[in-house]
PDB file of all heavy atoms in Angstrom:
ATOM      1  N   TYR H  32      25.822 -50.860 -14.724  1.00 98.00           N
ATOM      2  CA  TYR H  32      25.353 -49.503 -14.697  1.00 98.00           C
ATOM      3  C   TYR H  32      25.741 -48.740 -15.988  1.00 98.00           C
ATOM      4  O   TYR H  32      24.949 -48.039 -16.538  1.00 98.00           O
ATOM      5  CB  TYR H  32      25.908 -48.798 -13.470  1.00 98.00           C
ATOM      6  CG  TYR H  32      25.328 -47.394 -13.180  1.00 98.00           C
ATOM      7  CD1 TYR H  32      24.115 -47.290 -12.542  1.00 98.00           C
ATOM      8  CD2 TYR H  32      26.011 -46.268 -13.547  1.00 98.00           C
ATOM      9  CE1 TYR H  32      23.601 -46.055 -12.294  1.00 98.00           C
ATOM     10  CE2 TYR H  32      25.490 -45.048 -13.316  1.00 98.00           C
ATOM     11  CZ  TYR H  32      24.271 -44.892 -12.639  1.00 98.00           C
ATOM     12  OH  TYR H  32      23.745 -43.684 -12.379  1.00 98.00           O
ATOM     13  N   LYS H  36      23.638 -47.039 -19.349  1.00 97.00           N
ATOM     14  CA  LYS H  36      23.910 -45.728 -19.874  1.00 97.00           C
ATOM     15  C   LYS H  36      24.124 -45.763 -21.415  1.00 97.00           C
ATOM     16  O   LYS H  36      23.579 -44.952 -22.137  1.00 97.00           O
ATOM     17  CB  LYS H  36      25.196 -45.148 -19.232  1.00 97.00           C
ATOM     18  CG  LYS H  36      25.004 -44.596 -17.821  1.00 97.00           C
ATOM     19  CD  LYS H  36      24.413 -43.177 -17.835  1.00 97.00           C
ATOM     20  CE  LYS H  36      23.312 -43.022 -16.833  1.00 97.00           C
ATOM     21  NZ  LYS H  36      23.749 -42.660 -15.519  1.00 97.00           N
ATOM     22  N   TYR H  54      20.955 -56.792 -14.861  1.00 98.00           N
ATOM     23  CA  TYR H  54      21.635 -57.457 -13.754  1.00 98.00           C
ATOM     24  C   TYR H  54      21.407 -58.967 -13.671  1.00 98.00           C
ATOM     25  O   TYR H  54      22.380 -59.722 -13.594  1.00 98.00           O
ATOM     26  CB  TYR H  54      21.359 -56.749 -12.425  1.00 98.00           C
ATOM     27  CG  TYR H  54      22.075 -55.421 -12.299  1.00 98.00           C
ATOM     28  CD1 TYR H  54      21.383 -54.243 -12.257  1.00 98.00           C
ATOM     29  CD2 TYR H  54      23.457 -55.371 -12.242  1.00 98.00           C
ATOM     30  CE1 TYR H  54      22.020 -53.011 -12.151  1.00 98.00           C
ATOM     31  CE2 TYR H  54      24.122 -54.163 -12.172  1.00 98.00           C
ATOM     32  CZ  TYR H  54      23.400 -52.956 -12.118  1.00 98.00           C
ATOM     33  OH  TYR H  54      24.033 -51.747 -11.996  1.00 98.00           O
ATOM     34  N   LYS H  78      32.495 -51.595  -7.683  1.00 96.00           N
ATOM     35  CA  LYS H  78      32.039 -51.778  -9.079  1.00 96.00           C
ATOM     36  C   LYS H  78      32.310 -53.245  -9.474  1.00 96.00           C
ATOM     37  O   LYS H  78      33.213 -53.846  -8.989  1.00 96.00           O
ATOM     38  CB  LYS H  78      32.904 -50.931 -10.018  1.00 96.00           C
ATOM     39  CG  LYS H  78      32.496 -49.512 -10.107  1.00 96.00           C
ATOM     40  CD  LYS H  78      33.333 -48.842 -11.190  1.00 96.00           C
ATOM     41  CE  LYS H  78      32.952 -47.359 -11.284  1.00 96.00           C
ATOM     42  NZ  LYS H  78      33.298 -46.837 -12.583  1.00 96.00           N
ATOM     43  N   ILE H  79      31.453 -53.713 -10.368  1.00 98.00           N
ATOM     44  CA  ILE H  79      31.744 -55.046 -10.950  1.00 98.00           C
ATOM     45  C   ILE H  79      31.899 -54.816 -12.435  1.00 98.00           C
ATOM     46  O   ILE H  79      30.963 -54.526 -13.141  1.00 98.00           O
ATOM     47  CB  ILE H  79      30.584 -56.012 -10.674  1.00 98.00           C
ATOM     48  CG1 ILE H  79      30.297 -56.123  -9.172  1.00 98.00           C
ATOM     49  CG2 ILE H  79      30.894 -57.390 -11.246  1.00 98.00           C
ATOM     50  CD1 ILE H  79      29.059 -56.940  -8.805  1.00 98.00           C
TER      51      ILE H  79
ATOM     52  P    DC O   6      25.875 -40.657 -12.807  1.00 75.20           P
ATOM     53  OP1  DC O   6      26.978 -40.371 -13.791  1.00 75.20           O
ATOM     54  OP2  DC O   6      24.600 -41.253 -13.325  1.00 75.20           O
ATOM     55  O5'  DC O   6      26.445 -41.601 -11.687  1.00 75.20           O
ATOM     56  C5'  DC O   6      27.781 -41.335 -11.146  1.00 75.20           C
ATOM     57  C4'  DC O   6      28.128 -42.441 -10.187  1.00 75.20           C
ATOM     58  O4'  DC O   6      27.098 -42.511  -9.129  1.00 75.20           O
ATOM     59  C3'  DC O   6      28.158 -43.838 -10.772  1.00 75.20           C
ATOM     60  O3'  DC O   6      29.356 -44.503 -10.411  1.00 75.20           O
ATOM     61  C2'  DC O   6      26.906 -44.556 -10.247  1.00 75.20           C
ATOM     62  C1'  DC O   6      26.747 -43.841  -8.898  1.00 75.20           C
ATOM     63  N1   DC O   6      25.357 -43.862  -8.393  1.00 75.20           N
ATOM     64  C2   DC O   6      25.078 -44.392  -7.119  1.00 75.20           C
ATOM     65  O2   DC O   6      26.036 -44.860  -6.471  1.00 75.20           O
ATOM     66  N3   DC O   6      23.816 -44.394  -6.686  1.00 75.20           N
ATOM     67  C4   DC O   6      22.842 -43.892  -7.429  1.00 75.20           C
ATOM     68  N4   DC O   6      21.567 -43.907  -6.886  1.00 75.20           N
ATOM     69  C5   DC O   6      23.088 -43.308  -8.684  1.00 75.20           C
ATOM     70  C6   DC O   6      24.349 -43.313  -9.146  1.00 75.20           C
ATOM     71  P    DA O   7      29.925 -45.746 -11.163  1.00 75.20           P
ATOM     72  OP1  DA O   7      31.345 -45.974 -10.756  1.00 75.20           O
ATOM     73  OP2  DA O   7      29.615 -45.580 -12.588  1.00 75.20           O
ATOM     74  O5'  DA O   7      28.966 -46.845 -10.581  1.00 75.20           O
ATOM     75  C5'  DA O   7      29.249 -47.460  -9.345  1.00 75.20           C
ATOM     76  C4'  DA O   7      28.158 -48.400  -8.921  1.00 75.20           C
ATOM     77  O4'  DA O   7      26.995 -47.663  -8.373  1.00 75.20           O
ATOM     78  C3'  DA O   7      27.520 -49.343  -9.986  1.00 75.20           C
ATOM     79  O3'  DA O   7      28.308 -50.521 -10.024  1.00 75.20           O
ATOM     80  C2'  DA O   7      26.132 -49.556  -9.453  1.00 75.20           C
ATOM     81  C1'  DA O   7      26.033 -48.711  -8.207  1.00 75.20           C
ATOM     82  N9   DA O   7      24.700 -48.061  -8.082  1.00 75.20           N
ATOM     83  C8   DA O   7      24.083 -47.154  -8.893  1.00 75.20           C
ATOM     84  N7   DA O   7      22.866 -46.797  -8.524  1.00 75.20           N
ATOM     85  C5   DA O   7      22.663 -47.529  -7.344  1.00 75.20           C
ATOM     86  C6   DA O   7      21.597 -47.620  -6.424  1.00 75.20           C
ATOM     87  N6   DA O   7      20.483 -46.909  -6.541  1.00 75.20           N
ATOM     88  N1   DA O   7      21.751 -48.426  -5.357  1.00 75.20           N
ATOM     89  C2   DA O   7      22.903 -49.094  -5.212  1.00 75.20           C
ATOM     90  N3   DA O   7      23.957 -49.132  -6.006  1.00 75.20           N
ATOM     91  C4   DA O   7      23.793 -48.321  -7.065  1.00 75.20           C
ATOM     92  P    DT O   8      27.677 -51.805 -10.826  1.00 75.20           P
ATOM     93  OP1  DT O   8      28.834 -52.744 -10.974  1.00 75.20           O
ATOM     94  OP2  DT O   8      26.935 -51.349 -12.013  1.00 75.20           O
ATOM     95  O5'  DT O   8      26.659 -52.447  -9.773  1.00 75.20           O
ATOM     96  C5'  DT O   8      27.142 -52.907  -8.504  1.00 75.20           C
ATOM     97  C4'  DT O   8      25.985 -53.592  -7.787  1.00 75.20           C
ATOM     98  O4'  DT O   8      24.976 -52.637  -7.508  1.00 75.20           O
ATOM     99  C3'  DT O   8      25.384 -54.714  -8.582  1.00 75.20           C
ATOM    100  O3'  DT O   8      25.546 -55.902  -7.870  1.00 75.20           O
ATOM    101  C2'  DT O   8      23.895 -54.324  -8.726  1.00 75.20           C
ATOM    102  C1'  DT O   8      23.746 -53.301  -7.575  1.00 75.20           C
ATOM    103  N1   DT O   8      22.655 -52.325  -7.781  1.00 75.20           N
ATOM    104  C2   DT O   8      21.645 -52.257  -6.869  1.00 75.20           C
ATOM    105  O2   DT O   8      21.617 -52.976  -5.920  1.00 75.20           O
ATOM    106  N3   DT O   8      20.642 -51.352  -7.163  1.00 75.20           N
ATOM    107  C4   DT O   8      20.583 -50.533  -8.259  1.00 75.20           C
ATOM    108  O4   DT O   8      19.628 -49.761  -8.414  1.00 75.20           O
ATOM    109  C5   DT O   8      21.679 -50.631  -9.202  1.00 75.20           C
ATOM    110  C7   DT O   8      21.709 -49.765 -10.412  1.00 75.20           C
ATOM    111  C6   DT O   8      22.661 -51.510  -8.935  1.00 75.20           C
ATOM    112  P    DG O   9      25.315 -57.357  -8.573  1.00 75.20           P
ATOM    113  OP1  DG O   9      25.973 -58.379  -7.791  1.00 75.20           O
ATOM    114  OP2  DG O   9      25.481 -57.198 -10.024  1.00 75.20           O
ATOM    115  O5'  DG O   9      23.745 -57.503  -8.258  1.00 75.20           O
ATOM    116  C5'  DG O   9      23.363 -57.692  -6.932  1.00 75.20           C
ATOM    117  C4'  DG O   9      21.951 -57.394  -6.706  1.00 75.20           C
ATOM    118  O4'  DG O   9      21.561 -56.110  -7.240  1.00 75.20           O
ATOM    119  C3'  DG O   9      20.941 -58.294  -7.398  1.00 75.20           C
ATOM    120  O3'  DG O   9      20.831 -59.454  -6.567  1.00 75.20           O
ATOM    121  C2'  DG O   9      19.652 -57.465  -7.258  1.00 75.20           C
ATOM    122  C1'  DG O   9      20.172 -56.036  -6.963  1.00 75.20           C
ATOM    123  N9   DG O   9      19.513 -54.967  -7.705  1.00 75.20           N
ATOM    124  C8   DG O   9      19.933 -54.337  -8.854  1.00 75.20           C
ATOM    125  N7   DG O   9      19.127 -53.360  -9.230  1.00 75.20           N
ATOM    126  C5   DG O   9      18.086 -53.401  -8.313  1.00 75.20           C
ATOM    127  C6   DG O   9      16.907 -52.621  -8.200  1.00 75.20           C
ATOM    128  O6   DG O   9      16.526 -51.725  -8.928  1.00 75.20           O
ATOM    129  N1   DG O   9      16.160 -52.997  -7.105  1.00 75.20           N
ATOM    130  C2   DG O   9      16.470 -54.016  -6.230  1.00 75.20           C
ATOM    131  N2   DG O   9      15.640 -54.224  -5.249  1.00 75.20           N
ATOM    132  N3   DG O   9      17.578 -54.713  -6.286  1.00 75.20           N
ATOM    133  C4   DG O   9      18.348 -54.394  -7.361  1.00 75.20           C
ATOM    134  P    DA O  19       7.262 -72.128 -32.007  1.00 75.20           P
ATOM    135  OP1  DA O  19       8.652 -72.568 -32.135  1.00 75.20           O
ATOM    136  OP2  DA O  19       6.543 -71.656 -33.216  1.00 75.20           O
ATOM    137  O5'  DA O  19       6.389 -73.273 -31.350  1.00 75.20           O
ATOM    138  C5'  DA O  19       6.652 -73.639 -29.990  1.00 75.20           C
ATOM    139  C4'  DA O  19       5.601 -74.630 -29.560  1.00 75.20           C
ATOM    140  O4'  DA O  19       4.392 -73.914 -29.107  1.00 75.20           O
ATOM    141  C3'  DA O  19       5.189 -75.641 -30.621  1.00 75.20           C
ATOM    142  O3'  DA O  19       5.174 -76.897 -30.026  1.00 75.20           O
ATOM    143  C2'  DA O  19       3.792 -75.188 -31.078  1.00 75.20           C
ATOM    144  C1'  DA O  19       3.271 -74.498 -29.751  1.00 75.20           C
ATOM    145  N9   DA O  19       2.262 -73.460 -29.974  1.00 75.20           N
ATOM    146  C8   DA O  19       2.187 -72.525 -30.956  1.00 75.20           C
ATOM    147  N7   DA O  19       1.153 -71.745 -30.855  1.00 75.20           N
ATOM    148  C5   DA O  19       0.504 -72.175 -29.709  1.00 75.20           C
ATOM    149  C6   DA O  19      -0.687 -71.726 -29.052  1.00 75.20           C
ATOM    150  N6   DA O  19      -1.448 -70.724 -29.495  1.00 75.20           N
ATOM    151  N1   DA O  19      -1.064 -72.388 -27.939  1.00 75.20           N
ATOM    152  C2   DA O  19      -0.322 -73.425 -27.530  1.00 75.20           C
ATOM    153  N3   DA O  19       0.795 -73.909 -28.051  1.00 75.20           N
ATOM    154  C4   DA O  19       1.186 -73.230 -29.142  1.00 75.20           C
ATOM    155  P    DC O  20       4.655 -78.245 -30.864  1.00 75.20           P
ATOM    156  OP1  DC O  20       5.466 -79.340 -30.376  1.00 75.20           O
ATOM    157  OP2  DC O  20       4.566 -77.874 -32.319  1.00 75.20           O
ATOM    158  O5'  DC O  20       3.173 -78.431 -30.354  1.00 75.20           O
ATOM    159  C5'  DC O  20       2.973 -78.634 -28.933  1.00 75.20           C
ATOM    160  C4'  DC O  20       1.494 -78.560 -28.643  1.00 75.20           C
ATOM    161  O4'  DC O  20       0.980 -77.283 -28.981  1.00 75.20           O
ATOM    162  C3'  DC O  20       0.650 -79.569 -29.394  1.00 75.20           C
ATOM    163  O3'  DC O  20       0.060 -80.463 -28.490  1.00 75.20           O
ATOM    164  C2'  DC O  20      -0.403 -78.748 -30.114  1.00 75.20           C
ATOM    165  C1'  DC O  20      -0.373 -77.410 -29.378  1.00 75.20           C
ATOM    166  N1   DC O  20      -0.741 -76.250 -30.180  1.00 75.20           N
ATOM    167  C2   DC O  20      -1.827 -75.467 -29.779  1.00 75.20           C
ATOM    168  O2   DC O  20      -2.488 -75.832 -28.780  1.00 75.20           O
ATOM    169  N3   DC O  20      -2.202 -74.364 -30.511  1.00 75.20           N
ATOM    170  C4   DC O  20      -1.478 -74.016 -31.584  1.00 75.20           C
ATOM    171  N4   DC O  20      -1.847 -72.943 -32.272  1.00 75.20           N
ATOM    172  C5   DC O  20      -0.325 -74.784 -32.013  1.00 75.20           C
ATOM    173  C6   DC O  20       0.006 -75.845 -31.281  1.00 75.20           C
TER     174       DC O  20
END
Side-chain angles (χ1 to χ4, degrees):
Chain H
Y32 189 80
K36 283 278 135 87
Y54 286 115
K78 281 187 180 202
I79 304 173

